[in-house]
Amino acid sequence: MFKTIRKPINSIYVIAGMIIVLSVLAIMSVSTFLSYHGEKQRIDQEIKANVQDTLLTIEEHIEDLISSYSVNEYSKFIGSEVKYRHLFAMIVEDKNMGAILGKKVYVKGKIRDENWQVVDYDPEDSLQREQLQNAYFTSEKELVNNLGQSIGKIIVVVSDHEFHQRLDNLIYRNLLATFAISALLVATLFLMMRLHLLEPLTNIIEAITQRDSEGLPLEYAPIKGPNEIRVLSQTINHMIKATRVSRQQLMDKSDALRAAKERFQLAIDGTRDGLWDWNAKEGKIYVSEQYEAMLGYQSKDMPDTLEEWLKMIHPDDVDKAQYEIKRYLESKGQGVYENTFRMRTKSGQWLWITSRGKAIFDDEGNPVRFVGFNTDMSKLIQQQEELKKQKDLHQYLANHDTLTNLANRSLFNDRLMHSIKQAQRNGEKLAVLFIDLDYFKEINDSLGHNIGDKVIQSIAKRLQHLIRGGDTIARLGGDEFTILMDDLPDEQSASHIADRVIENFRQPVRVDHHELHLSCSIGISIYPDNGETPTDMLKNADAAMYRAKNLGRNNFQYYSKEMTEEAFERLNMEANIRSGIQNEEFIVYYQPQINSSTQQIIGMEALVRWNSPSLGFITPGRFIPLAIATGSIIDLDRYVMKKAFKEFAAWIDEGLDPGHLSINLNMKQLIREDFVSYLSGLIEQGGFSASCIELEVTEGELMDNPSQAINVLKQVESLGVKLSLDDFGTGYSSLSYLKKLPISKLKIDKSFVDGLPFDKEDEAIVRAIIALAQSLNLDIIAEGAENLQQVDFLSQLGCSNFQGYFFSKPIPAEEMHNFLIEYRRSH
Amino acid sequence: MKKTVHILLIFISLFFFRGSLAVEAEVDVSMQQETKTLAYLVSDIRIPFWEIMSRGIRKQAEELGYKIEIYSAQNLAKQELQNTIKAIQSRVSGIIVSPTNSSACSTILEFAQKAGIPVVIADIGTESGDYVSYISSDNYQGAYEIGKVLTEKMQALGWEKGSVGIIAIPQSRENGKARTAGFIKALDEAGIKGAGIRQQKDFSYGETYHYSLELIRNTPQLRAIWLQGSDRYQGAVDAIHQAGKEGEILLLTFDAEPVFLDLIPKNILVGAAMQQPFLMGEKSVQALDDHLTGKAVKHEIKLSVLSVSAENIDSLLPIIRRNVLGVSSR
């Protein structure tokens, strides 16, 4: 209804400016007023004093001029005096001149006209006379001559013209000065006030005017200016800082609260746990939606009293559940309440529930509120059970052979260890039987692994039926089985089982449509006679098994000390082979190859011999298999190649026409990645044609992996090197592969030649081999030709190339050199 | 000092012009009633220059039918004023004034003007006031011409490198300034240096002698001395003699003395610039008469100054005698 009339609020600058201007104007007005009055009086006094000074100054001069009758001179003089002393008039009354003129006095004077110009004074001029009478100030002086007689008078008149003029000047100057000083003062005061007061204040205002959405200044007030303003700034800053801190704390708390709430809600939502909140005083239970959903209830259906809840708990668990609740409440909330029980869902299912919570108590220790979560553990419990099953399965698999379900090496070792300890405690004996199937590899190779696996499974079942109830049978891998016999009454008891096993093997194994006849070799080690650790027992049983193998297979052998010595010898020899290569203990022997029809040397085969300084002369049959088994055959083959190539090259260079050089190489050598480049490097070093070299590979090795062999042999053939198949007929060559192999020659094994010409089987085989070679357009050579009959016979069959004692045994290089020379000379 | 000078002047005048003793007021009474009267207010009739001029006035007044009353103030201001008042009161038709000084002339002119009496100023001049005509000598011209006489003489003697000293009347006077300027011009034209100037204060013999000797001693190349007045020439002559420079230093003057008619031919004086006071007196009366008869009168009339040397003295002698010395009129 009533409008508030708000006065316009002026800026502090305007107010300060007004204060300064008004103050300065007031002070300067008073000052000017006082100064004006003081100056006015001073001017008045000064004018009058000047008049007196003038009279005194000019008195004597005028007296002289009157005395000397210099009328014109004093007339000029008073004229100049009037002019320069700013007088209104100066009049001389000259008695001397008056006497000449017959008058009392002669009046001569100068006076100002209306233009303030100096003109002659005319005593007859009434206006001049009136002016003189009204003059501001008049002073006169009596003039006397040297004798003291009066000679006239001088009158000095001052008008108020000068007075007013000087006052006007004074006012003008004062006003000007006042204005200038006022302006300067105002400017200085305003500047200083602005610099020291207004600007710091303005800076503070500008700083705190920039406010955030909540009205709190964004920046602190600058601390500048005089002390009071600095204190003001500091106080404002403290307030801002305190407010910010308070606000931040409030925000932090609010954030924390919101975060806690969110966290709480997320936890509830995320865990899918059911929240329950039991108000003890009201006896009501509040539950979350998740809890209701967990038990399959709607909000209105859910029981909300403790009694009804207890009814939902499994009868077997309700006592325990009540007990846990009671125990926690009696403990006055120490620790956390935790209880696991089964609860019935609305649909009648039982859920495993783990309930956790905390209670609040009043001062008297009575529960006020009891809040917690119920977690559905059913799935977890189910998962745990499944996990246990899986674990058991893993454990089983870890200890059993998946193919046969027999114990594996690990379980066997554990049981063996356990049995050894038991036997040790009880002073008992036990036996380990190491069973290895004879020629099982051939079954795998010829019939495939599926058949092989089924054979193993069948054998395992047989063995399980053969052993005693407490014995353990295990499959260590491949075709190796072990049997642990506890509480052995005597050593012979082991042989009974071994006999039964060997006997059982006489029954053919039927797999799919195959009927397979198998045998096995068994090694037996006895505790404590043959070892006191599982490792020794197994190792020794293995050694005994090897002995059984060596003794023709299909038998069993007890372990003996000698077996260990043989094993040691094998190890020792292996080390000697390596050092022998390094020490060049291996010697290359050469056995000539002769064409019987031409009687010409067609070549020679390089053969390695070992004359060890420590072990003596060692046959290839002893060290070659070992070198193959340990891998040192690679270095040994290369050693032989290098040496033979060098000597062979020398014979070519010598013009001995050695034919070709044949070298038997192991497949391990051939499949080495660098072999082809190594071979070509050697040929290049030798400086002879690659076709002079013939590599022999055994049929058995070749057939282990025919496809890989074909690939490598093709690369070798591409160099120009010839390939020969050694020991042909002893293996199980597939004719289809034979056709694919890049070989140029077949070598009839010595075992077939030995029986010729009398053994009809050998003859038949040799005939077949020769026919095969001819049909495949391959060369053929027979090794092991020891007599003329064999040579003739084979020649008749179509084989004219021979290697054997009939022509020459293997001989060292030097002898071979001589042989080449001598043979050519004689043929 | 002033008094001494006055006495000395009076003595010299009496010596040379015994026949023309000054009278305070010589009035031709016989003509007074029939003819108009003119008054000649002169500072001091005892001085030859004014006495010669008064003769010229008298001669011309007689010729034009005026009575002439001569009032000599004896060089006293009071007397001059009293003469003025007396002349005015006697109702003269016109006044010729040769005042004691130009300041006093102003007062005379003021009183005359109030009385309605026309005034012609003969020489000296006035500081202010109204007058009919001012008749004076052409000091500049005279000094220039006598300077030319000197320079020609020095050139004839081969003394062009010599310098010339000046003993001057007070340079506050207009005639003094004009004389110095005219003479310096002549020297400049001939390329002859000045050797300094000394101003007379008491116009005494000793002063002239002293100044002359000082110039001679201070200026080794001094070849001439020029005096701007004629009456103390003897001081300079004696100084040259005293310095032993006779024949080596030339002497010239402005104005003339009767004795110069002998000294110039003898080359004791090289030359003198001579005013013509007799002629000036005649011209003054003529101007006043012209005014009274209603004729136009020049407000200022300058009479030439004669430059007299040994070379022209003979030819100028009649003029010198009449207009300068007023001898012939006697």
Side-chain angles (χ1 to χ4, degrees):
Chain A
M1 190 170 175
F2 297 100
K3 284 186 178 177
T4 305
I5 298 171
R6 186 176 290 175
K7 288 183 179 177
I9 300 170
N10 289 324
S11 159
I12 193 167
Y13 279 84
V14 175
I15 294 168
M18 286 170 66
I19 291 169
I20 290 168
V21 169
L22 290 175
S23 301
V24 169
L25 281 179
I27 291 166
M28 293 310 297
S29 298
V30 172
S31 171
T32 306
F33 179 77
L34 294 175
S35 170
Y36 172 76
H37 275 275
E39 193 67 14
K40 187 178 176 186
Q41 287 182 343
R42 191 186 65 74
I43 290 170
D44 179 66
Q45 290 169 359
E46 185 182 309
I47 288 172
K48 289 173 179 173
N50 280 343
V51 169
Q52 297 305 323
D53 285 347
T54 302
L55 285 171
L56 287 172
T57 306
I58 67 174
E59 176 187 7
E60 190 177 348
H61 189 53
I62 297 291
E63 285 171 347
D64 285 346
L65 293 174
I66 289 175
S67 297
S68 63
Y69 295 88
S70 300
V71 177
N72 186 55
E73 290 302 311
Y74 68 67
S75 176
K76 284 193 297 181
F77 180 68
I78 61 175
S80 65
E81 287 294 306
V82 168
K83 186 175 181 181
Y84 295 113
R85 287 181 186 266
H86 306 288
L87 303 173
F88 178 66
M90 184 180 283
I91 296 163
V92 173
E93 292 180 357
D94 184 353
K95 288 183 179 179
N96 283 357
M97 193 61 196
I100 291 173
L101 294 170
K103 297 178 181 176
K104 187 179 179 182
V105 293
Y106 171 71
V107 178
K108 187 72 180 175
K110 297 289 182 183
I111 192 168
R112 300 277 185 175
D113 62 7
E114 63 272 14
N115 297 321
W116 204 244
Q117 296 299 309
V118 179
V119 297
D120 288 332
Y121 171 67
D122 183 359
E124 305 300 324
D125 190 330
S126 58
L127 180 62
Q128 290 183 348
R129 282 205 308 275
E130 188 180 341
Q131 286 174 333
L132 288 179
Q133 285 171 359
N134 297 329
Y136 174 69
F137 180 70
T138 303
S139 183
E140 58 183 41
K141 179 79 177 171
E142 193 70 24
L143 303 172
V144 295
N145 62 12
N146 293 336
L147 303 173
Q149 296 167 332
S150 173
I151 56 172
K153 184 193 290 181
I154 183 160
I155 302 160
V156 174
V157 183
V158 178
S159 76
D160 58 358
H161 178 269
E162 184 194 359
F163 183 72
H164 287 302
Q165 193 177 38
R166 289 183 65 176
L167 275 182
D168 289 346
N169 286 339
L170 179 66
I171 290 169
Y172 175 73
R173 282 201 310 272
N174 277 355
L175 283 175
L176 204 64
T178 301
F179 179 76
I181 292 169
S182 299
L184 194 64
L185 209 55
V186 166
T188 306
L189 282 173
F190 193 76
L191 196 68
M192 298 307 286
M193 187 175 274
R194 178 179 175 175
L195 197 65
H196 294 292
L197 292 175
L198 301 182
E199 204 162 84
L201 280 174
T202 306
N203 290 339
I204 292 171
I205 291 165
E206 284 178 358
I208 63 176
T209 304
Q210 302 291 322
R211 292 191 290 266
D212 57 19
S213 58
E214 295 175 13
L216 194 62
L218 294 170
E219 294 178 4
Y220 287 109
I223 300 174
K224 290 179 181 174
N227 186 45
E228 288 77 3
I229 292 178
R230 284 169 177 263
V231 171
L232 177 64
S233 292
Q234 287 166 348
T235 307
I236 290 171
N237 289 344
H238 285 151
M239 289 168 65
I240 293 170
K241 193 173 182 182
T243 310
R244 283 183 182 172
V245 169
S246 299
R247 185 174 67 175
Q248 190 59 45
Q249 288 174 346
L250 201 62
M251 287 170 67
D252 291 346
K253 285 178 181 173
S254 176
D255 290 345
L257 198 62
R258 187 165 53 250
K261 191 176 176 184
E262 287 173 359
R263 199 159 46 237
F264 185 66
Q265 190 60 45
L266 286 171
I268 292 172
D269 296 344
T271 56
R272 296 184 181 175
D273 286 351
L275 173 71
W276 48 265
D277 184 356
W278 175 39
N279 190 319
K281 288 188 175 176
E282 294 177 2
K284 295 285 184 182
I285 298 174
Y286 158 81
V287 295
S288 66
E289 290 180 2
Q290 284 93 328
Y291 199 174
E292 291 169 351
M294 188 192 298
L295 295 174
Y297 284 92
Q298 300 291 325
S299 294
K300 55 186 178 183
D301 303 332
M302 188 70 189
D304 61 352
T305 63
L306 184 62
E307 289 72 22
E308 286 175 308
W309 265 48
L310 289 173
K311 288 178 185 172
M312 295 168 68
I313 295 176
H314 195 281
D316 294 347
D317 300 336
V318 70
D319 291 342
K320 179 176 171 286
Q322 283 183 303
Y323 168 75
E324 291 293 341
I325 292 169
K326 188 182 174 189
R327 190 175 63 85
Y328 175 74
L329 294 178
E330 284 176 355
S331 74
K332 308 301 178 194
Q334 286 188 348
V336 177
Y337 159 74
E338 185 167 345
N339 201 353
T340 300
F341 46 81
R342 280 166 285 181
M343 279 190 91
R344 192 181 62 244
T345 64
K346 192 176 180 182
S347 62
Q349 287 182 314
W350 291 103
L351 296 180
W352 275 102
I353 299 291
T354 294
S355 184
R356 295 184 186 86
K358 292 277 285 183
I360 301 169
F361 298 86
D362 61 16
D363 295 339
E364 295 169 356
N366 296 317
V368 176
R369 195 173 186 183
F370 194 10
V371 182
F373 284 99
N374 274 8
T375 307
D376 180 2
M377 305 297 287
S378 303
K379 281 187 180 175
L380 187 64
I381 288 169
Q382 189 181 344
Q383 285 171 352
Q384 283 176 343
E385 287 172 353
E386 286 177 0
L387 200 63
K388 188 172 180 300
K389 286 179 186 172
Q390 285 181 358
K391 195 175 176 185
D392 291 344
L393 179 61
H394 286 149
Q395 184 70 28
Y396 180 83
L397 292 173
N399 291 318
H400 290 81
D401 174 44
T402 52
L403 185 64
T404 61
N405 286 329
L406 296 178
N408 62 10
R409 183 186 291 271
S410 174
L411 181 58
F412 185 81
N413 278 341
D414 286 347
R415 290 190 179 173
L416 179 55
M417 172 68 79
H418 178 74
S419 296
I420 287 171
K421 286 179 180 175
Q422 195 174 15
Q424 197 174 17
R425 282 197 298 271
N426 301 332
E428 297 169 350
K429 290 192 174 188
L430 58 86
V432 171
L433 278 72
F434 200 110
I435 303 166
D436 188 272
L437 305 188
D438 296 331
Y439 302 114
F440 179 73
K441 184 172 180 289
E442 280 71 16
I443 293 174
N444 257 349
D445 289 347
S446 57
L447 300 177
H449 287 286
N450 284 337
I451 298 296
D453 287 349
K454 288 179 179 176
V455 169
I456 291 293
Q457 286 173 332
S458 177
I459 294 296
K461 284 177 183 172
R462 285 189 187 187
L463 290 175
Q464 280 178 302
H465 288 106
L466 293 174
I467 60 172
R468 299 179 305 173
D471 294 343
T472 298
I473 182 166
R475 180 182 174 230
L476 299 189
D479 57 350
E480 294 175 346
F481 295 88
T482 51
I483 297 171
L484 169 60
M485 297 176 69
D486 286 322
D487 191 17
L488 199 67
D490 54 58
E491 294 175 8
Q492 298 305 315
S493 299
S495 63
H496 295 155
I497 294 294
D499 274 335
R500 286 172 63 187
V501 170
I502 288 170
E503 187 61 31
N504 186 270
F505 268 70
R506 295 188 189 281
Q507 299 297 320
V509 176
R510 288 183 178 80
V511 175
D512 294 340
H513 304 295
H514 302 282
E515 184 175 288
L516 301 168
H517 293 273
L518 293 169
S519 65
C520 67
S521 301
I522 302 173
I524 303 169
S525 61
I526 304 294
Y527 174 85
D529 303 336
N530 304 138
E532 294 183 348
T533 64
T535 306
D536 286 346
M537 287 294 286
L538 272 174
K539 186 181 73 178
N540 292 339
D542 187 29
M545 184 274 289
Y546 266 101
R547 169 58 64 92
K549 291 270 184 189
N550 289 337
L551 292 174
R553 298 180 170 88
N554 197 26
N555 67 85
F556 69 89
Q557 293 293 321
Y558 280 93
Y559 173 75
S560 66
K561 215 172 194 178
E562 291 74 23
M563 295 175 193
T564 304
E565 288 171 359
E566 285 176 9
F568 179 78
E569 184 192 349
R570 280 205 301 275
L571 288 172
N572 193 29
M573 188 175 288
E574 183 186 339
N576 282 327
I577 289 170
R578 294 190 184 281
S579 63
I581 293 169
Q582 287 182 347
N583 299 329
E584 298 190 349
E585 295 169 6
F586 292 91
I587 307 157
V588 180
Y589 274 59
Y590 300 92
Q591 189 170 31
Q593 294 175 340
I594 307 293
N595 185 293
S596 60
S597 56
T598 61
Q599 291 297 307
Q600 294 295 313
I601 299 171
I602 56 166
M604 61 191 76
E605 181 181 5
L607 299 161
V608 66
R609 296 292 183 266
W610 185 15
N611 189 10
S612 170
S614 58
L615 301 175
F617 192 86
I618 300 162
T619 63
R622 283 183 66 193
F623 68 81
I624 292 290
L626 197 60
I628 292 170
T630 58
S632 54
I633 190 69
I634 304 293
D635 292 335
L636 185 58
D637 274 353
R638 293 194 177 190
Y639 172 86
V640 172
M641 285 169 72
K642 193 173 180 181
K643 197 152 189 174
F645 276 35
K646 189 177 179 183
E647 290 168 345
F648 182 71
W651 296 329
I652 290 174
D653 291 343
E654 208 174 327
L656 298 179
D657 192 15
H660 62 259
L661 176 65
S662 181
I663 292 183
N664 203 321
L665 293 180
N666 184 265
M667 267 307 289
K668 287 185 178 178
Q669 180 72 260
L670 287 172
I671 61 174
R672 295 278 294 189
E673 282 187 4
D674 64 339
F675 172 71
V676 176
S677 62
Y678 180 79
L679 175 65
S680 67
L682 281 182
I683 292 169
E684 195 174 336
Q685 279 183 352
F688 43 76
S689 170
S691 61
C692 294
I693 301 301
E694 185 178 282
L695 300 184
E696 293 181 9
V697 286
T698 59
E699 183 192 10
E701 288 183 343
L702 206 59
M703 290 304 145
D704 278 345
N705 193 342
S707 58
Q708 186 182 22
I710 290 168
N711 188 31
V712 174
L713 292 177
K714 281 184 176 174
Q715 290 183 45
V716 174
E717 187 203 21
S718 69
L719 295 176
V721 174
K722 291 176 181 173
L723 292 164
S724 167
L725 196 59
D726 197 9
D727 300 338
F728 188 75
T730 58
Y732 299 89
S733 294
S734 165
L735 291 178
S736 62
Y737 280 126
L738 191 64
K739 192 177 174 184
K740 292 177 184 175
L741 285 170
I743 53 173
S744 58
K745 185 185 281 182
L746 293 179
K747 199 170 189 179
I748 302 169
D749 188 68
K750 180 178 181 294
S751 61
F752 301 122
V753 177
D754 286 344
L756 294 177
F758 308 108
D759 191 324
K760 293 301 175 187
E761 285 186 3
D762 289 344
E763 181 187 335
I765 290 168
V766 169
R767 281 181 185 273
I769 292 170
I770 292 169
L772 181 68
Q774 288 173 342
S775 66
L776 293 174
N777 200 24
L778 300 174
D779 288 340
I780 190 158
I781 184 171
E783 65 176 357
E786 296 182 348
N787 53 58
L788 184 58
Q789 287 177 313
Q790 291 171 331
V791 172
D792 287 340
F793 185 76
L794 284 166
S795 297
Q796 287 173 5
L797 291 178
C799 174
S800 54
N801 296 323
F802 297 94
Q803 176 184 341
Y805 275 52
F806 177 71
F807 295 98
S808 173
K809 62 178 183 181
I811 49 177
E814 193 174 342
E815 289 183 31
M816 187 63 201
H817 178 256
N818 294 332
F819 180 85
L820 286 170
I821 296 169
E822 291 298 325
Y823 190 85
R824 295 205 186 283
R825 190 177 295 164
S826 59
H827 292 88
Chain B
M1 189 69 182
K2 286 181 179 177
K3 290 180 179 177
T4 310
V5 173
H6 289 159
I7 293 167
L8 194 58
L9 286 171
I10 292 166
F11 174 77
I12 293 168
S13 299
L14 289 172
F15 181 78
F16 283 105
F17 303 102
R18 284 171 301 178
S20 58
L21 287 171
V23 291
E24 289 193 355
E26 187 178 349
V27 179
D28 188 347
V29 180
S30 61
M31 298 294 287
Q32 192 173 12
Q33 290 178 342
E34 294 85 8
T35 58
K36 291 181 178 175
T37 303
L38 300 177
Y40 174 46
L41 302 178
V42 63
S43 59
D44 192 347
I45 197 70
R46 296 167 298 179
I47 294 172
F49 186 83
W50 302 123
E51 193 278 333
I52 294 167
M53 188 184 289
S54 69
R55 279 189 271 146
I57 289 170
R58 185 179 298 280
K59 175 183 175 291
Q60 190 63 24
E62 285 173 356
E63 286 180 3
L64 294 174
Y66 291 101
K67 285 206 300 187
I68 189 76
E69 293 176 358
I70 297 173
Y71 299 89
S72 174
Q74 311 292 18
N75 211 29
L76 298 172
K78 181 182 177 182
Q79 185 62 53
E80 189 176 44
L81 285 169
Q82 287 173 334
N83 289 347
T84 303
I85 298 306
K86 193 180 284 180
I88 289 169
Q89 286 176 346
S90 64
R91 296 190 174 276
V92 294
S93 300
I95 294 173
I96 298 163
V97 63
S98 296
T100 51
N101 54 56
S102 55
S103 176
C105 188
S106 296
T107 307
I108 293 167
L109 291 176
E110 185 183 339
F111 282 116
Q113 186 188 16
K114 284 180 181 176
I117 298 169
V119 179
V120 169
I121 303 168
D123 210 10
I124 302 302
T126 183
E127 287 184 356
S128 60
D130 292 334
Y131 50 89
V132 173
S133 184
Y134 168 46
I135 297 161
S136 63
S137 296
D138 191 345
N139 285 287
Y140 182 86
Q141 168 264 327
Y144 174 71
E145 288 187 1
I146 198 65
K148 294 277 283 182
V149 169
L150 173 65
T151 57
E152 284 167 8
K153 184 72 177 179
M154 286 176 72
Q155 286 167 348
L157 293 170
W159 292 354
E160 294 90 338
K161 293 184 179 178
S163 57
V164 179
I166 300 171
I167 297 173
I169 61 173
Q171 295 298 294
S172 58
R173 294 183 188 175
E174 290 300 320
N175 56 353
K177 291 177 187 172
R179 288 178 193 179
T180 302
F183 189 75
I184 293 297
K185 184 189 176 192
L187 292 183
D188 287 344
E189 285 178 356
I192 292 170
K193 296 175 184 174
I197 187 167
R198 302 287 187 275
Q199 285 192 72
Q200 288 179 302
K201 294 171 184 171
D202 60 5
F203 301 92
S204 65
Y205 166 86
E207 183 182 64
T208 303
Y209 174 80
H210 175 74
Y211 282 164
S212 299
L213 206 56
E214 192 175 83
L215 284 169
I216 293 164
R217 286 175 179 167
N218 291 348
T219 315
Q221 286 78 32
L222 190 73
R223 284 294 182 182
I225 295 174
W226 179 51
L227 306 178
Q228 288 189 357
S230 59
D231 50 349
R232 295 304 179 197
Y233 78 92
Q234 192 59 48
V237 172
D238 291 347
I240 292 167
H241 176 75
Q242 181 63 33
K245 294 284 187 179
E246 288 170 318
E248 295 179 20
I249 293 177
L250 308 177
L251 184 64
L252 301 92
T253 67
F254 197 97
D255 281 340
E257 303 297 332
V259 71
F260 286 8
L261 297 178
D262 290 334
L263 296 179
I264 289 170
K266 289 178 181 173
N267 281 326
I268 294 172
L269 286 176
V270 173
M274 298 181 183
Q275 296 185 85
Q276 302 177 82
F278 189 84
L279 179 63
M280 195 177 290
E282 288 180 322
K283 292 291 182 185
S284 298
V285 175
Q286 184 62 52
L288 195 55
D289 177 60
D290 288 345
H291 175 73
L292 290 172
T293 56
K295 294 177 183 171
V297 179
K298 284 187 176 178
H299 196 59
E300 185 170 358
I301 298 167
K302 282 193 178 293
L303 301 178
S304 63
V305 176
L306 303 175
S307 178
V308 180
S309 63
E311 284 72 28
N312 63 6
I313 191 165
D314 290 339
S315 61
L316 291 176
L317 195 56
I319 297 172
I320 293 169
R321 290 180 67 86
R322 180 182 184 279
N323 291 348
V324 178
L325 300 177
V327 177
S328 60
S329 64
R330 283 289 183 181

